[in-house]
């Protein structure tokens, strides 16, 4: 038997040993919040709570899998729990929604095999709606409409409510019309978009008390990670799950709230004490990641924010090096200096995968990529997802249609992949269920396609997921078609074989359950999951936005583009939705997140001039740099060779 409590500091131990009633854990960056949550789960189980009465929710598959791995390891260390067959339910918000909707969705007239429409699918439906309604897609931005609909769903607004309370303005009218059309298409397709996975789950539990009672009886101890990142719908879902018992543990950090642009409301964390007056509050301030020098810089920056819960990070890791300030003539020199420093770190034995270059806006990656190539530094740009590759989406579409024949989005995608000689008119008639009017020869082609889907369905319902994926690759004709192509097609075939390999992980749940979980997790994969699972990534420097870096950590971190109007970003001040003060504070929180990604060494870079959208502008250093004096920061030494 291990003394698992001895592994914790005093604050962590208070959080872990608090059993019943609401608990708020204010967890600073690198302060061991995952360790605290997992040890708390172990403590609950050792205290007599059944593992399947415990629920823990976070935001990314990566975080959920890390939590599951740690809990499994902790339980394996305890002899009396080693053979425990039941495990806590550890999930993302969206995956939890899928689980509950597949289990209880019949009351919402949802098929158990409903499809999950990804963003591309949703955009396709929005464009179709615009065309059907007679709007010019070139004059109305489909992404803007989808963002507006997504924002409303995140606020728990349905299309009926939106239409009833519609403000009389042209854009709102278009949103209402397109949304109604879009929603009907989702219903016809038996599909839900990402926002529906939370919205529909809240409506399911709120409007069906008998189902809510079942769910609350099952999960009696609730843990919500990254509580500051919850939107209205996620917040309400957490409240419903907590129920009258109020055995809810919320873990979060206002200083790392950086997602207001996608509906996150940090006030959810601030109102926790009001929602749960009996709440116990524990603050985790000891950082296990960074040096004291890095933490002093981070503390100096974030203390200027008004909307926060007071805390000061500290560490026993040692003082460490000062931060290095890189001043460059332009973005080309900035990128060259960074590439040169990265190369030096690697040449001196540093691991490329432990180096990250962070930027505020995606366009900044171009100069950095060119410099890395020139310097011969291996790199990867976060955001190229395995599951977004065309050929991977094609094969998954076969599986989706096989299980959900009403999924006309996926059906349209693959009806001519590989080519079957079916023209646009034929496809339109097939999707309209008007096959009878087609010529006999064409009808035969359609019947062959339908027979392929029927065969795949028969396999999917009983076989191991990996066998089903392998069978689909060949039976669909995708494998043979790609083998007949050129080198690019052979690379695509390798990606599909990798999908077969990946599906082996789901063979523990044979048949319908395993293949459904594969489709669900493929649909819900995040940027960070993509980076973690990318087999081609290898040992490479990571280039990514600061937003994408949240939750990650590296030995050496470069924060680039620290110029006024770029970081902090001017756009937020021009379009301040909640007032300029809030937006300014979010930019400061974003800089704080960037600083606290580093374990050993931080480099801060800015360019005196930068060309953006074809115009060169003269910059002044970011206000954030004014918070850091020469006790924390030193300029880059002249011994560093300039980029040529």
């Amino acid at each position: 038997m291990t003394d698992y409590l001895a592994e914790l500091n005093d604050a962590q131990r208070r959080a872990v040993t608090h059993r019943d009633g609401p608990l708020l854990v204010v967890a600073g960056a690198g302060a061991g919040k995952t360790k605290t949550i997992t040890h708390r789960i172990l403590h609950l189980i050792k205290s007599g709570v059944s593992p399947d009465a415990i629920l823990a929710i976070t935001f990314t598959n990566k975080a959920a899998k890390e939590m599951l791995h740690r809990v499994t390891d902790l339980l394996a260390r305890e002899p009396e729990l080693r053979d425990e067959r039941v495990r806590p339910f550890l999930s993302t918000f969206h995956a939890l929604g899928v689980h509950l909707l597949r289990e209880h969705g019949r009351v919402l007239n949802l098929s158990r095999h409903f499809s999950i429409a990804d963003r591309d699918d949703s955009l396709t439906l929005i464009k179709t709606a615009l065309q059907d309604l007679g709007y010019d897609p070139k004059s109305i931005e489909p992404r803007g409409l989808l963002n507006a609909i997504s924002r409303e769903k995140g606020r728990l607004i349905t299309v009926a409510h939106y239409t009833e309370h519609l403000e009389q303005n042209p854009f709102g009218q278009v949103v209402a019309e397109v949304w109604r059309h879009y929603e009907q298409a989702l219903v016809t397709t038996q599909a839900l978009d990402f926002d529906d996975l939370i919205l529909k789950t809240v409506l399911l539990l709120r409007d069906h008390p008998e189902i809510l009672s079942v769910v609350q009886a099952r999960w009696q101890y609730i843990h919500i990670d990254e509580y500051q990142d919850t939107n209205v719908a996620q917040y309400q879902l957490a409240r419903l799950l907590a129920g009258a018992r109020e055995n809810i543990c919320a873990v979060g950090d206002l200083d790392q709230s950086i997602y207001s642009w996608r509906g996150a409301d940090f006030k959810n964390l601030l109102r926790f004490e009001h929602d749960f007056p009996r709440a116990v509050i524990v603050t985790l301030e000891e950082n296990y990641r960074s040096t004291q020098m890095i933490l002093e810089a981070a503390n100096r920056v974030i203390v200027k924010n008004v909307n926060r819960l007071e805390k000061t990070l500290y560490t026993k890791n040692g003082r460490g090096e000062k931060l290095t300030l890189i001043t460059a003539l332009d973005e080309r020199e900035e990128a060259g200096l960074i590439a040169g420093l990265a190369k030096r770190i690697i040449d001196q034995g540093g691991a490329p995968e432990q180096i990250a270059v962070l930027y505020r806006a995606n366009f900044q990656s171009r100069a950095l990529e060119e410099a890395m190539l020139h310097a011969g530094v291996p790199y990867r740009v976060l955001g190229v997802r395995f599951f977004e590759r065309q050929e991977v989406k094609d094969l998954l579409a076969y599986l989706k249609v096989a299980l959900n024949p009403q999924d006309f989005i996926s059906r349209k995608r693959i009806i001519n992949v590989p080519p079957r000689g079916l023209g646009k008119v034929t496809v339109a008639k097939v999707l309209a269920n008007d096959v009878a009017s087609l010529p006999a020869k064409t009808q035969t082609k359609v019947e062959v396609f339908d027979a392929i889907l029927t065969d795949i369905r028969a396999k999917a319902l009983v076989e191991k997921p990996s066998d089903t994926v392998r069978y689909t690759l060949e039976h669909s004709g995708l494998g043979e078609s790609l083998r007949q192509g050129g080198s690019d097609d052979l690379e695509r075939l390798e990606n599909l074989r990798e999908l077969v390999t990946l599906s082996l992980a789901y063979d523990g749940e044979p048949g319908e359950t395993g293949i459904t979980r594969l489709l669900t997790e493929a649909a819900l994969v995040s940027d960070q999951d993509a980076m973690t699972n990318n087999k081609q990534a290898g040992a490479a420097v990571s280039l990514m936005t600061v937003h994408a870096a949240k939750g990650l950590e590296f030995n050496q971190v470069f924060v680039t583009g620290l110029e006024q109007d770029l970081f902090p970003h001017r756009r937020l001040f021009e379009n301040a939705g909640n007032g300029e003060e809030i937006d300014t504070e979010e930019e400061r929180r974003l800089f704080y997140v960037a600083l606290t990604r580093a374990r050993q060494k931080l480099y801060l870079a800015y360019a005196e001039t930068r060309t953006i959208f074809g115009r060169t502008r003269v910059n002044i250093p970011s206000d954030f740099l004014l918070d850091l004096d020469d006790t924390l920061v030193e300029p880059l030494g002249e011994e560093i060779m300039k980029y040529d």
Side-chain angles (χ1 to χ4, degrees):
M1 181 181 296
T2 61
D3 186 3
Y4 60 96
L5 294 178
E7 303 170 0
L8 308 170
N9 62 39
D10 290 343
Q12 291 172 332
R13 197 175 299 115
R14 287 198 304 275
V16 165
T17 55
H18 174 87
R19 173 165 165 159
D20 295 321
L23 170 68
L24 174 62
V25 180
V26 181
K33 70 180 177 69
T34 302
K35 181 177 185 177
T36 302
I37 295 172
T38 53
H39 277 67
R40 174 175 162 76
I41 290 172
L42 172 64
H43 185 73
L44 286 171
I45 295 171
K46 287 181 71 68
S47 301
V49 176
S50 175
D52 60 356
I54 300 171
L55 171 68
I57 310 173
T58 187
F59 276 82
T60 67
N61 287 324
K62 176 180 179 289
K65 288 177 178 177
E66 170 67 14
M67 202 175 291
L68 176 60
H69 176 73
R70 292 206 200 180
V71 167
T72 302
D73 282 353
L74 285 173
L75 294 176
R77 289 162 47 186
E78 304 296 324
E80 75 276 20
L81 302 177
R82 199 169 293 155
D83 297 327
E84 184 67 63
R85 295 285 181 256
V86 182
R87 288 286 184 264
F89 193 96
L90 309 179
S91 169
T92 64
F93 269 105
H94 290 91
L96 174 66
V98 172
H99 176 82
L100 292 174
L101 291 169
R102 293 208 193 279
E103 190 172 347
H104 302 287
R106 61 189 179 280
V107 302
L108 302 179
N109 296 315
L110 265 180
S111 162
R112 181 173 175 80
H113 297 297
F114 66 80
S115 297
I116 300 172
D118 63 20
R119 189 165 178 82
D120 287 343
D121 295 332
S122 293
L123 279 172
T124 297
L125 292 178
I126 294 290
K127 291 173 184 175
T128 301
L130 285 170
Q131 292 169 353
D132 291 348
L133 292 167
Y135 289 106
D136 180 3
K138 294 180 180 179
S139 62
I140 300 176
E141 175 53 52
R143 291 181 186 275
L145 290 173
L146 181 58
N147 289 339
I149 293 169
S150 175
R151 187 164 54 248
E152 295 302 323
K153 287 187 176 184
R155 294 171 179 164
L156 273 184
I157 303 299
T158 63
V159 64
H161 184 276
Y162 182 84
T163 303
E164 184 180 345
H165 298 84
L166 181 64
E167 293 184 12
Q168 296 304 314
N169 64 73
F171 183 71
Q173 294 285 353
V174 175
V175 170
E177 286 187 73
V178 171
W179 190 353
R180 284 194 294 267
H181 202 288
Y182 170 69
E183 205 68 26
Q184 185 54 52
L186 289 172
V187 171
T188 302
T189 311
Q190 279 289 296
L192 299 179
D193 63 21
F194 289 160
D195 300 297
D196 285 332
L197 298 178
I198 310 299
L199 170 64
K200 300 285 189 185
T201 301
V202 172
L203 297 180
L204 172 77
L205 299 179
R206 190 186 69 188
D207 299 342
H208 297 274
E210 72 285 1
I211 296 175
L212 177 59
S213 295
V214 169
V215 172
Q216 289 176 340
R218 176 183 175 185
W219 293 313
Q220 300 179 20
Y221 290 85
I222 313 299
H223 302 76
I224 312 290
D225 192 14
E226 305 287 9
Y227 202 76
Q228 79 283 347
D229 290 339
T230 54
N231 60 21
V232 173
Q234 291 159 338
Y235 166 75
Q236 291 297 342
L237 178 56
R239 295 290 308 276
L240 286 165
L241 292 169
R245 289 191 187 87
E246 295 190 347
N247 288 333
I248 179 171
C249 170
V251 183
D253 181 10
L254 286 181
D255 294 340
Q256 297 185 74
S257 177
I258 59 173
Y259 295 119
S260 67
W261 51 275
R262 69 181 189 194
D265 186 356
F266 67 83
K267 294 187 181 70
N268 292 340
L269 189 65
L270 287 174
R271 65 169 62 99
F272 189 86
E273 292 177 78
H274 177 269
D275 293 338
F276 304 100
R278 297 186 298 124
V280 170
I281 302 173
V282 176
T283 303
L284 306 183
E285 297 179 291
E286 183 175 354
N287 177 285
Y288 294 91
R289 175 188 302 157
S290 307
T291 65
Q292 187 62 36
M293 191 74 73
I294 291 170
L295 296 183
E296 285 183 17
N299 289 332
R300 191 86 61 89
V301 165
I302 203 62
V303 74
K304 288 194 170 183
N305 274 7
V306 174
N307 293 293
R308 63 188 300 261
L309 297 173
E310 189 63 35
K311 69 177 185 310
T312 302
L313 294 180
Y314 69 92
T315 186
K316 298 174 183 175
N317 288 341
R319 187 140 188 87
E321 299 180 49
K322 284 186 178 182
L323 286 64
T324 296
L325 179 63
I326 302 170
T327 303
L329 176 63
D330 56 21
E331 71 271 19
R332 186 171 178 271
E333 183 176 72
E334 176 195 52
L337 289 168
I338 290 170
L341 286 165
K343 189 173 191 308
R344 168 183 283 197
I345 293 167
I346 295 168
D347 289 346
Q348 293 176 348
E353 65 273 18
Q354 288 299 331
I355 303 172
V357 183
L358 310 183
Y359 37 82
R360 179 61 182 82
N362 276 304
F363 76 84
Q364 294 173 254
S365 70
R366 182 193 59 80
L368 291 164
E369 288 189 67
E370 289 179 1
M372 294 293 175
L373 285 169
H374 184 92
V377 175
Y379 72 92
R380 58 185 171 186
V381 180
L382 182 61
V384 180
R385 306 182 188 181
F386 175 77
F387 289 111
E388 286 185 351
R389 297 180 185 276
Q390 177 182 328
E391 63 277 8
V392 174
K393 292 187 73 170
D394 288 343
L395 196 151
L396 292 175
Y398 271 96
L399 295 167
K400 289 167 71 175
V401 181
L403 291 175
N404 177 15
Q406 292 173 265
D407 186 349
F408 70 80
I409 309 171
S410 298
R411 184 181 291 270
K412 183 178 180 180
R413 179 185 184 91
I414 58 172
I415 196 169
N416 253 334
V417 180
R420 294 185 175 85
L422 301 176
K424 289 185 178 180
V425 174
T426 298
V427 172
K429 288 190 174 184
V430 170
L431 297 177
N433 290 319
D434 188 20
V435 178
S437 67
L438 295 171
K441 187 175 180 180
T442 304
Q443 286 188 40
T444 300
K445 292 179 180 179
V446 175
E447 289 168 0
V448 169
F449 173 64
D450 286 339
I452 290 171
L453 296 173
T454 300
D455 292 343
I456 293 172
R457 178 182 176 84
K459 287 278 185 183
L461 293 178
V462 297
E463 299 287 346
K464 292 188 296 186
S466 61
D467 289 340
T468 299
V469 175
R470 188 181 293 107
Y471 177 82
T472 303
L473 172 59
E474 297 307 326
H475 197 58
S476 65
L478 285 171
E480 183 60 28
S481 174
L482 292 173
R483 276 191 288 271
Q484 302 299 322
S487 57
D488 288 346
D489 284 334
L490 291 177
E491 184 176 334
R492 294 187 182 100
L493 180 59
E494 285 301 309
N495 287 329
L496 294 183
R497 287 172 174 160
E498 176 65 14
L499 181 60
V500 174
T501 301
L502 184 149
S503 64
L504 288 167
Y506 300 85
D507 281 355
E509 302 175 73
E512 175 187 353
T513 304
I515 206 72
T516 299
R517 192 162 70 87
L518 168 63
L519 291 173
T520 297
E521 294 193 5
L524 301 182
V525 72
S526 71
D527 286 341
Q528 290 185 7
D529 301 321
M531 186 183 79
T532 304
N533 295 328
N534 184 355
K535 65 168 185 171
Q536 297 175 333
V541 174
S542 296
L543 311 183
M544 69 187 84
T545 64
V546 183
H547 282 102
K550 186 169 180 290
L552 303 177
E553 56 186 69
F554 303 88
N555 288 343
Q556 295 87 17
V557 171
F558 295 84
V559 185
T560 66
L562 283 166
E563 300 129 32
Q564 203 63 16
D565 295 342
L566 179 55
F567 199 179
H569 204 285
R570 174 192 291 177
R571 178 179 57 80
L572 290 180
F573 305 139
E574 293 175 343
N575 302 294
N578 299 315
E580 184 174 316
E581 179 187 3
I582 300 298
D583 287 329
T584 305
E585 292 206 351
E586 179 145 334
E587 286 293 287
R588 188 173 290 278
R589 291 194 294 267
L590 192 61
F591 184 49
Y592 174 84
V593 166
L595 297 181
T596 54
R597 297 312 92 199
R599 295 192 193 99
Q600 300 171 4
K601 178 68 180 178
L602 255 175
Y603 299 85
L604 309 178
Y606 79 94
E608 294 173 337
T609 63
R610 187 178 298 272
T611 302
I612 301 177
F613 302 129
R615 297 179 61 183
T616 300
R617 68 183 190 189
V618 177
N619 301 312
I620 60 174
S622 169
D623 282 347
F624 299 152
L625 292 175
L626 300 179
D627 299 331
L628 309 174
D629 57 30
D630 57 11
T631 64
L632 298 173
V633 181
E634 59 186 3
L636 180 66
E638 294 182 0
E639 74 277 6
I640 302 297
M641 295 292 291
K642 292 280 187 180
Y643 175 63
D644 182 10

